[in-house]
Amino acid sequence: MRNVHLLLAFLLVISHGIFLFRGLYLRNHDLGPRWIDRMARLISHLGLPLITITGITLLGTQKITPLLSLHVMIGLLPFLVILGFTPFLGLKRRIPWLLPSINLALFFLAFVLGWMISH
């Protein structure tokens, strides 16, 4: 299960990076999304709940350490960031890259911490 969780986290970071950076490119060049953009968005949207589920199942098998606690907190922060941005639709429209950038940074940090824990 640990390898599945790590693989899903890696896929989430990569797909969310593609989603963010290609989205910025497409927006700046006034282009529409391609198949890769739709796939990256789908993986990004499905990845967070799947990683959360696999992570919760792993929690019962590991000793709780400060590093693991930090990993869990950072891993759950994207949910709070998404909920926190919900009332600010105007901000999301004015700065469309802000929410995906914050979440990409959180995904990457959680991935690095998770990799450190597993090795």
Side-chain angles (χ1 to χ4, degrees), residues 26-70:
L26 295 175
R27 182 179 173 89
N28 289 336
H29 291 85
D30 201 28
L31 298 170
R34 307 269 194 263
W35 69 270
I36 191 167
D37 306 306
R38 290 183 183 92
M39 287 302 298
R41 181 179 176 193
L42 177 68
I43 293 169
S44 188
H45 284 166
L46 293 176
L48 184 56
L50 288 174
I51 287 172
T52 303
I53 291 167
T54 59
I56 289 171
T57 60
L58 284 171
L59 274 179
T61 65
Q62 294 194 2
K63 179 183 175 203
I64 304 298
T65 64
L67 193 59
L68 179 60
S69 298
L70 184 61

Side-chain angles (χ1 to χ4, degrees), residues 14 20-21 23 25-26 33 50 57 67 73-74 80 91 95 100 105 108:
I14 296 300
L20 170 63
F21 294 115
Y25 175 83
L26 295 175
L50 288 174
T57 60
L67 193 59
M73 287 188 295
I74 291 171
L80 296 175
L91 179 64
I95 312 173
F108 181 74

Side-chain angles (χ1 to χ4, degrees), residues 70-89:
L70 184 61
H71 170 73
V72 170
M73 287 188 295
I74 291 171
L76 293 176
L77 270 177
F79 286 113
L80 296 175
V81 170
I82 291 166
L83 291 174
F85 266 75
T86 301
F88 301 106
L89 286 177

Side-chain angles (χ1 to χ4, degrees), residues 6 9 12-13 67 70-78 101-117:
L6 203 56
L12 177 63
V13 170
L67 193 59
L70 184 61
H71 170 73
V72 170
M73 287 188 295
I74 291 171
L76 293 176
L77 270 177
S101 296
I102 292 169
N103 278 344
L104 180 59
L106 292 170
F107 294 154
F108 181 74
L109 186 54
F111 172 76
V112 169
L113 290 172
W115 185 82
M116 288 170 59
I117 291 166

